[in-house]
Amino acid sequence: MAKAAARSASIPTAAAAPPASNRERPAEPRRFEGSKEELLEFYRQMLLIRRFEEKAGQLYGLGLIGGFCHLYIGQEAVAVGLQSALEPGRDSVVTGYRDHGHMLAYGIDPKLIMAELTGRAAGISKGKGGSMHMFSVEHKFYGGHGIVGAQVSIGTGLGFKHKYAEDGGLALVYFGDGAANQGQVYESFNMAELWKLPVIFVIENNQYAMGTSVNRASAEDQLYKRGESFRIPGLQVDGMDVLAVRGAAETAREWVKAGKGPILLELKTYRYRGHSMSDPAKYRSRDEVQSVREKSDPIDHLARELGAIGVGEDRLKALDKEIRKIVADAAAFAEESPEPDPGELYTDVLVDTY
């Protein structure tokens, strides 16, 4: 059991070798080489997600957030690395119910997200979606979905829309290692490849799904291979390294933009908290979690990169202070905002035939 747990918690330092094939494949991604300003922006975005989620956990403990609450702590490099390569307003994003970080990575106001978490009228979904159902047509962010794997079919439809409209956009579709075993995922893969849709399928492999190690739940635990039977190429990426993720995002974007159809990215990442705030995470040891934090934390990793190019600790501390204020202001805004009017129960709801 100890060996199995160690395998499930390991984070690769390099992409796995691609399976043998005579079909065209995307080039192996190169780690992104950004400017100091770009790296600082990645650091700022990841830190914003981390501090925001920490505050969300506190508000949940105080009873200000109802229902389920799934935090993104540890996985920040995935959303920031991928979505920094997108064109906001053109490219679509859809994800599951661990969605706060993805919204923040798309530049959506933290105040509106926190207000939604606390069920306030000022929230991004008018306080009726809560933690699991964030949504913004304006930003082309299409959820936040509670049904495991359902977002993959929706995201494939978004890819079809982009191709049909010839608008130059693509769909970025997130799902987890648990959802990777859902049948609708493979129906979507088949259609996406048949129609050569501009879809980047992303498996956020955080090792445990709802609480079962991927090694115990998946006969093929190298999830980047899951598209091969549909002729969809896959790449495995270190999801704890924001620069590796950004490099893979650029490779994937180039592939789908060239009209070659969908691509599958497996991001090997790790969440520090349980599946949700109600999960005590007894299926793994504290030592395992602490080991990943010490060796692979995405924010600490980038901090070391920044230090190597001359960004001092004082600047990072000042940035942390700035981020903490943004998050505190978002929490205050949420707590001071009114709850939705009871009449909102009857808006945006289908009540007639069509």
Side-chain angles (χ1 to χ4, degrees), residues 117-153:
L117 277 168
T118 52
R120 308 302 170 128
I124 196 77
S125 297
K126 300 182 181 178
K128 297 188 289 186
S131 171
M132 296 171 65
H133 303 289
M134 304 280 179
F135 205 95
S136 175
V137 174
E138 176 188 356
H139 294 88
K140 293 192 180 297
F141 187 92
Y142 294 96
H145 293 273
I147 299 175
V148 176
Q151 73 273 20
V152 181
S153 299

Side-chain angles (χ1 to χ4, degrees), residues 46-69:
M46 289 197 294
L47 195 60
L48 174 60
I49 294 172
R50 178 72 58 90
R51 299 296 180 237
F52 184 97
E53 294 289 67
E54 290 170 349
K55 177 60 73 172
Q58 293 172 9
L59 296 183
Y60 185 92
L62 293 170
L64 294 173
I65 295 175
F68 291 98
C69 184

Side-chain angles (χ1 to χ4, degrees), residues 115-272:
E116 187 60 40
L117 277 168
T118 52
R120 308 302 170 128
I124 196 77
S125 297
K126 300 182 181 178
K128 297 188 289 186
S131 171
M132 296 171 65
H133 303 289
M134 304 280 179
F135 205 95
S136 175
V137 174
E138 176 188 356
H139 294 88
K140 293 192 180 297
F141 187 92
Y142 294 96
H145 293 273
I147 299 175
V148 176
Q151 73 273 20
V152 181
S153 299
I154 293 169
T156 303
L158 290 169
F160 179 81
K161 179 267 179 188
H162 285 301
K163 183 166 185 176
Y164 187 81
E166 298 181 344
D167 59 14
L170 62 82
L172 183 69
V173 183
Y174 291 99
F175 57 108
D177 47 292
N181 292 320
Q182 289 281 327
Q184 60 197 317
V185 171
Y186 300 97
E187 295 175 45
S188 300
F189 281 3
N190 189 53
M191 295 172 73
E193 176 58 25
L194 278 172
W195 296 337
K196 297 294 183 185
L197 301 182
V199 180
I200 301 174
F201 292 110
V202 177
I203 301 176
E204 291 194 82
N205 182 0
N206 63 25
Q207 317 296 318
Y208 286 103
M210 286 186 69
T212 302
S213 165
V214 67
N215 305 106
R216 295 177 59 208
S218 298
E220 174 53 86
D221 61 6
Q222 299 301 300
L223 303 182
Y224 74 100
K225 298 179 180 179
R226 291 294 187 92
E228 286 296 322
S229 61
F230 301 96
R231 302 193 175 190
I232 298 175
L235 299 170
Q236 190 178 74
V237 185
D238 181 357
M240 304 297 272
D241 179 354
V242 70
L243 302 183
V245 177
R246 174 57 186 266
E250 294 189 350
T251 296
R253 182 179 179 83
E254 181 180 337
W255 178 267
V256 301
K257 286 286 189 179
K260 296 178 180 179
I263 189 171
L264 176 64
L265 302 179
E266 179 193 1
L267 280 295
K268 295 292 289 293
T269 185
Y270 196 87
R271 55 174 164 78
Y272 299 156

